[in-house]
Amino acid sequence: MMDVFRNFGQSFIAKIIMALIALSFVLWGVSGYFMSGSSGPAAVASVNDHKITAAVFQKRLQETQERYSQVFGAATAAKMAKQSSFAGDVLNGLIGNILLGTEAAHMGLQVPDSVLAKRIEAIPAFHEKGKFSKTKYQEVLKNHGMTPAQFESLLRESLRIEQIQVVPQIIAHASDQAAQEVWGWSQEYRDISTVTLSDADFAQQAKPDAAAVRSFYQQHLSEFKLPAQVEVQYVVLGPQDFVGGAASTHAIAAATSSAHQITGVADQTAENAFQAQVENFKDRLFSSPDGLQSVAKAYHLQIASSGLLTEGKVPSSGLFADPKALDLAFSKAVLAGKNSRALTLKNGNLLAVHLLHYHPGTVQDLHAVQDKIIARLTDEKAQQLAKAQAETLLSQARKAGKVTALSDDGQYPVKVHLNVTRKDAQGLSPALLRAVFLAPAPVDQVPSMGMIREDKGYTLFAVTQVMAPASAAVNPKVTAEIRASLEEQRGRLLSAAYLSDLRQHAKVTINDAQLAEAARQSS
């Protein structure tokens, strides 16, 4: 949804409406959007002593989609409304605005008519020949599906909330120095030296002996158990087994005048006949002494075989690709030699199964799995040895203050990466790039060193030189833009934190079932 917002057009009236939307769809008269007390219609959510009814929430969803249609177009608005997060976002916005509106009321904040009028008159979209035009004002609002009363109420509420949001914006102030530091941080170059210790370098000395393999096998027998397998017989009963059974085709043809009508009546007749036999089918399954034979005979069904099924492994196709059907084949009743219960499949048909063959799960012997155990133990031990060696080399190199100490007298080659930046990694992995730029700069030509775990090995690194541009090199315009961006980001974080704090200290309850139902009815 936010991608749509970011790509939205730049017209001024659009910006106005977007600003109002960003204020979480502020209320047009609070009393019309929530009720007080515990009586009355079921609530989608409650905020302290007020509740948002399903009818009110559905109305807000519809209004939101209509407003999106005015701003983004009907097709885009429809896509946005179908997103799973749409209803929750609208509800959370409504809750947030109730919290902010209530807080503004508690603080006694007001927006005088004169202030509201000045704000409206200052909006260029309502100007003609450089001055505010009431005619243009009414025309623009009408084109966007709003009356002056609605717009003024909406704007008044947003201005009240703006007053609450002044403090976070003031606190979010960023200095020129902070902006210059950010610019320098983004333009920084670093020279990096790296040494890689691969787990494979320690594989030979990490191989376990026979005793260790036997011990691991005994302690992890459950890991080497093969799953159970079954083969079952099954029958499927559905409306297709009752076509022509309850009424003749001639009778249907006589009562109708088109092929479409004939098909519809026949299908409904078969469905009715099937539904009438559902309970009888279940009873026969329960009482049948000969598996599925008498059931199949009674309903003229064919008994089929599933082939070999593996517990917990759903086939890619076929009847038992339905996980519920697979579970039915391994149910206690079936494994005990009884008929299964009747399972309703996704298409409405009924499935019943009976056991043919059962192969219980067995534990593989040590000989069959010892190669896997050896490989696993070797990998684990090799990683431990690699880590221990890396930590030793790092400690020695830090004491010596020299990059060459990382190589362990040349056993591990040192790679040099010059002029690495956050945008030009010079082949360093993302994890390593983050680590080297979080490391402090060298002091008195002593490299800053560290290590990280990478894919199948450890990488030791040394930051040997840091080159950052002087703050005097920053263009003042760039400084101003960075400062504004910092203040905007800080303001958003502080405002979000303030709203989160209000919500934590309020009693907010959301009825998920009502929310889902209201969203469904509005779609």
Side-chain angles (χ1 to χ4, degrees):
M1 187 178 295
M2 290 308 300
D3 290 338
V4 179
F5 289 166
R6 295 188 185 102
N7 295 326
F8 180 57
Q10 299 299 310
S11 68
F12 201 90
I13 186 61
K15 290 182 179 179
I16 295 172
I17 296 176
M18 279 301 300
L20 299 176
I21 290 174
L23 286 171
S24 304
F25 317 104
V26 291
L27 307 178
W28 298 353
V30 172
S31 61
Y33 279 87
F34 59 80
M35 302 175 60
S36 299
S38 57
S39 60
V44 173
S46 62
V47 184
N48 293 327
D49 295 329
H50 311 290
K51 66 180 182 179
I52 303 168
T53 66
V56 164
F57 182 59
Q58 286 177 8
K59 187 172 184 294
R60 175 42 59 95
L61 286 172
Q62 292 168 0
E63 290 172 349
T64 303
Q65 186 171 353
E66 289 171 3
R67 208 159 301 285
Y68 280 172
S69 295
Q70 295 162 12
V71 179
F72 306 116
T76 300
K79 290 181 181 179
M80 294 166 70
K82 289 180 180 179
Q83 293 182 6
S84 59
S85 61
F86 179 75
D89 288 345
V90 172
L91 180 60
N92 283 325
L94 190 53
I95 291 171
N97 242 71
I98 290 174
L99 292 170
L100 290 172
T102 303
E103 184 71 3
H106 287 166
M107 296 171 65
L109 300 179
Q110 299 294 330
V111 179
D113 291 343
S114 59
V115 173
L116 182 65
K118 287 183 179 179
R119 179 62 71 93
I120 293 174
E121 290 172 359
I123 297 174
F126 304 142
H127 288 188
E128 277 189 349
K129 298 180 179 180
K131 293 183 178 181
F132 175 77
S133 167
K134 186 175 181 179
T135 302
K136 182 69 175 293
Y137 172 56
Q138 294 173 338
E139 178 186 339
V140 170
L141 292 182
K142 183 179 179 180
N143 290 339
H144 286 82
M146 300 178 73
T147 66
Q150 290 172 332
F151 180 77
E152 289 164 16
S153 177
L154 191 61
L155 183 57
R156 187 186 299 273
E157 188 69 18
S158 71
L159 291 174
R160 291 179 69 206
I161 293 176
E162 277 185 11
Q163 296 178 55
I164 297 179
Q165 295 174 324
V166 166
V167 174
Q169 297 304 321
I170 293 174
I171 298 174
H173 172 73
S175 65
D176 284 349
Q177 181 181 352
Q180 290 167 359
E181 289 175 354
V182 169
W183 182 81
W185 178 85
S186 68
Q187 301 298 313
E188 185 178 276
Y189 288 82
R190 293 192 168 205
D191 290 344
I192 312 297
S193 295
T194 62
V195 168
T196 300
L197 278 68
S198 172
D199 296 345
D201 296 336
F202 301 87
Q204 193 60 38
Q205 55 184 300
K207 287 187 177 180
D209 57 23
V213 173
R214 283 195 300 271
S215 175
F216 183 90
Y217 174 76
Q218 293 296 332
Q219 294 174 23
H220 298 80
L221 288 176
S222 61
E223 296 183 21
F224 306 114
K225 185 177 180 180
L226 295 173
Q229 294 182 312
V230 297
E231 185 176 2
V232 296
Q233 292 180 321
Y234 67 89
V235 294
V236 176
L237 181 70
Q240 67 276 1
D241 299 303
F242 295 88
V243 175
S248 69
T249 303
H250 295 294
I252 296 173
T256 58
S257 58
S258 71
H260 178 73
Q261 289 176 314
I262 292 173
T263 302
V265 172
D267 289 347
Q268 188 58 53
T269 301
E271 177 66 29
N272 293 341
F274 166 64
Q275 293 297 335
Q277 288 296 317
V278 167
E279 294 304 320
N280 290 336
F281 180 74
K282 293 179 179 179
D283 290 342
R284 284 181 180 274
L285 283 174
F286 182 75
S287 60
S288 176
D290 57 355
L292 299 176
Q293 300 298 324
S294 59
V295 176
K297 184 176 180 181
Y299 294 99
H300 307 288
L301 304 175
Q302 288 189 344
I303 299 176
S305 174
S306 67
L308 207 58
L309 301 173
T310 301
E311 188 173 20
K313 186 177 181 181
V314 180
S316 58
S317 61
L319 192 65
F320 293 90
D322 183 339
K324 292 183 178 179
L326 183 66
D327 290 343
L328 186 70
F330 286 91
S331 61
K332 291 182 179 180
V334 172
L335 297 183
K338 302 176 182 178
N339 284 338
S340 72
R341 61 182 176 84
L343 173 68
T344 302
L345 299 172
K346 294 178 180 179
N347 63 1
N349 289 347
L350 295 177
L351 168 69
V353 307
H354 187 84
L355 184 67
L356 276 178
H357 304 290
Y358 174 58
H359 306 283
T362 58
V363 176
Q364 302 175 78
D365 60 35
L366 176 58
H367 178 74
V369 298
Q370 67 178 0
D371 288 345
K372 291 183 179 179
I373 295 176
I374 291 172
R376 178 171 171 178
L377 293 179
T378 299
D379 287 345
E380 291 176 356
K381 184 63 175 179
Q383 182 175 333
Q384 294 172 6
L385 294 173
K387 182 179 181 181
Q389 178 67 352
E391 289 174 341
T392 298
L393 292 177
L394 179 60
S395 177
Q396 292 174 354
R398 282 175 171 168
K399 288 180 180 179
K402 296 181 179 180
V403 175
T404 53
L406 295 174
S407 71
D408 194 19
D409 295 328
Q411 182 174 353
Y412 305 104
V414 177
K415 293 183 180 179
V416 177
H417 310 264
L418 301 177
N419 298 324
V420 175
T421 70
R422 289 177 172 84
K423 293 184 178 180
D424 184 5
Q426 300 285 338
L428 303 184
S429 70
L432 182 54
L433 186 68
R434 284 193 297 271
V436 299
F437 274 94
L438 285 173
V443 177
D444 296 331
Q445 297 185 337
V446 176
S448 173
M449 304 182 195
M451 63 177 278
I452 66 166
R453 173 71 183 175
E454 295 201 272
D455 185 31
K456 297 184 178 180
Y458 287 86
T459 297
L460 302 168
F461 65 85
V463 179
T464 57
Q465 186 175 5
V466 173
M467 295 155 284
S471 59
V474 187
N475 186 313
K477 184 178 179 180
V478 173
T479 299
E481 291 176 352
I482 295 174
R483 187 181 66 248
S485 178
L486 284 174
E487 291 177 348
E488 180 183 2
Q489 293 177 34
R490 291 176 181 178
R492 286 179 180 176
L493 290 173
L494 289 168
S495 296
Y498 177 56
L499 182 57
S500 176
D501 184 68
L502 287 178
R503 186 157 181 167
Q504 287 177 7
H505 289 83
K507 185 178 180 181
V508 178
T509 305
I510 296 177
N511 186 324
D512 291 330
Q514 286 286 338
L515 172 61
E517 178 61 19
R520 184 189 66 79
Q521 291 182 12
S522 66
S523 61

